[in-house]
C-alpha cells in the first residue's frame, strides 16, 4: 500500500492518520507543497492520497500557487476510484474540486466541539464504531457548500458541513480528527502567541478541556483514521 501525503503547512501533520497508516504497513510519499516540492503528474503508483490543513484559505491561489494543480490531482485520484482524505483545508479543496462554493470567514470554530453523524454518516464505513455524537478538535475560519452529488456525513450546530463523501471513497473532513491530545498540546506551545490573541484564555482552560473531551476525541479520531485506511484498495 503506497499513499501520497500532501502538506500545505508544517504545523498540520498526519497525527493519528499516520498511526493508522503505520499499523497497516503503508509506504508514505510525502510532498511538502508549501515548500515548493512538486506534486506528481497523476495518481499512478499510489493507492490513496491524504491532503492536510494549512493557514491559507481554499481560494488562495495567488499566495499558494500549487493549489490549482493539487485540486486537479485530487480530482484525478477520486475519479479513478482511489481513496482520498482531505482534512480541514483539504476538505475545502475537495469541495472546490467538485463544484462546491468556498465561504471564506464567518465560520470560526476552535477547541473540542461536538459533531453529529447524519443518517448517511451512521451508515458510512468511515464512521464505523464511532458514537452518533462525539467531541473532536476544531480550528478553522472557513466553510463550504456541499458539492453536487456529495453526501453529508457529519454536521454541527455552528457549521453544517463537517464531513462528506464523493464517489467510492473521496472523503472531506472539516474537523481535525488527526489531532490527538499530544498534537493539540504541541499546537498550544508552538502557536502560544497567536492563540493568546485569537483565543484569549486558551492556555488556562486547555488542560481541563483536554481532560474532559480528549479521551473521547482521541478514540473517535483513531477509529476514523483506521476506517479510512481500510477503504484503500490496492491498484
Amino acid at each position: 500500500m503506497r499513499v501520497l501525503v500532501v502538506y500545505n503547512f508544517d504545523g498540520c501533520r498526519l497525527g493519528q492518520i499516520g498511526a493508522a497508516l503505520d499499523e497497516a504497513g503503508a509506504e508514505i510519499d510525502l510532498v511538502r507543497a508549501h515548500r515548493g516540492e512538486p506534486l506528481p503528474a497523476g495518481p499512478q503508483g499510489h493507492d490513496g492520497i491524504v491532503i492536510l490543513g494549512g493557514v491559507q484559505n481554499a481560494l488562495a491561489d495567488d499566495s499558494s500557487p500549487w493549489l490549482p494543480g493539487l485540486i486537479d490531482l485530487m480530482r484525478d485520484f477520486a475519479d479513478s476510484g482511489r481513496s482520498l482524505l482531505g482534512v480541514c483545508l483539504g476538505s475545502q479543496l475537495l469541495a472546490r474540486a467538485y463544484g462546491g462554493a468556498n465561504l471564506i470567514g464567518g465560520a470560526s470554530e476552535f477547541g473540542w466541539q461536538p459533531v453529529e453523524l447524519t443518517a448517511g454518516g451512521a451508515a458510512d464505513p468511515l464512521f464505523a464504531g464511532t458514537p452518533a455524537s462525539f467531541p473532536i478538535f476544531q480550528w478553522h475560519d472557513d466553510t463550504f457548500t456541499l458539492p453536487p452529488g456529495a453526501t453529508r456525513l457529519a454536521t454541527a450546530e455552528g457549521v453544517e458541513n463537517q464531513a462528506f463523501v464523493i464517489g467510492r471513497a473521496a472523503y472531506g473532513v472539516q474537523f481535525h480528527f488527526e489531532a490527538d491530545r499530544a498534537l493539540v498540546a504541541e499546537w498550544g506551545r508552538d502557536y502560544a502567541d497567536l492563540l493568546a490573541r485569537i483565543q484569549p484564555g486558551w492556555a488556562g482552560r486547555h488542560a481541563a478541556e483536554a481532560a474532559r473531551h480528549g479521551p473521547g476525541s482521541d478514540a473517535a479520531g483513531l477509529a476514523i483514521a483506521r476506517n479510512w485506511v481500510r477503504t484503500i484498495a490496492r491498484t
Side-chain angles (χ1 to χ4, degrees), residues 6-13 30-39 53-56 63-67 70:
V6 180
Y7 280 14
N8 296 290
F9 174 65
D10 284 333
C12 292
R13 302 191 304 281
L30 176 61
V31 174
R32 299 173 179 86
H34 60 296
R35 295 190 186 184
E37 296 178 1
L39 296 164
V55 295
Q56 60 276 77
S63 58
S64 303
W66 68 91
L67 292 183
L70 176 55

Side-chain angles (χ1 to χ4, degrees), residues 111-131:
W112 284 279
Q113 305 288 336
V115 298
E116 296 184 2
L117 299 184
T118 64
D124 193 275
L126 187 69
F127 292 102
T130 67

Side-chain angles (χ1 to χ4, degrees), residues 3-211:
V3 176
L4 178 66
V5 175
V6 180
Y7 280 14
N8 296 290
F9 174 65
D10 284 333
C12 292
R13 302 191 304 281
L14 281 170
Q16 298 204 102
I17 303 167
L21 288 168
D22 285 345
E23 288 175 355
E27 297 181 54
I28 294 173
D29 292 329
L30 176 61
V31 174
R32 299 173 179 86
H34 60 296
R35 295 190 186 184
E37 296 178 1
L39 296 164
Q44 293 76 20
H46 293 100
D47 303 301
I49 183 172
V50 179
I51 306 94
L52 295 168
V55 295
Q56 60 276 77
N57 68 60
L59 300 177
D61 296 354
D62 289 344
S63 58
S64 303
W66 68 91
L67 292 183
L70 176 55
I71 288 169
D72 289 343
L73 181 63
M74 293 169 69
R75 196 182 297 111
D76 289 342
F77 266 86
D79 289 350
S80 71
R82 290 169 169 84
S83 294
L84 180 150
L85 178 60
V87 180
C88 198
L89 174 62
S91 71
Q92 298 161 12
L93 293 171
L94 182 62
R96 177 181 169 185
Y98 283 92
N102 293 111
L103 309 177
I104 308 304
S108 296
E109 292 182 296
F110 180 84
W112 284 279
Q113 305 288 336
V115 298
E116 296 184 2
L117 299 184
T118 64
D124 193 275
L126 187 69
F127 292 102
T130 67
S133 177
F134 51 87
I136 208 75
F137 199 80
Q138 301 269 16
W139 191 352
H140 68 96
D141 296 310
D142 306 331
T143 187
F144 50 84
T145 63
L146 204 65
T151 299
R152 183 183 296 111
L153 303 178
T155 189
E157 183 176 349
V159 177
E160 183 178 32
N161 293 319
Q162 293 287 342
F164 67 95
V165 63
I166 294 176
R168 187 193 73 83
Y171 290 97
V173 181
Q174 177 62 72
F175 49 83
H176 284 285
F177 71 91
E178 84 284 8
D180 59 8
R181 282 169 285 177
L183 183 52
V184 172
E186 185 177 323
W187 285 346
R189 294 188 298 270
D190 290 349
Y191 308 109
D193 292 344
L194 172 64
L195 290 171
R197 295 194 304 273
I198 66 174
Q199 294 292 329
W202 173 249
R205 68 179 188 270
H206 169 223
E209 293 198 16

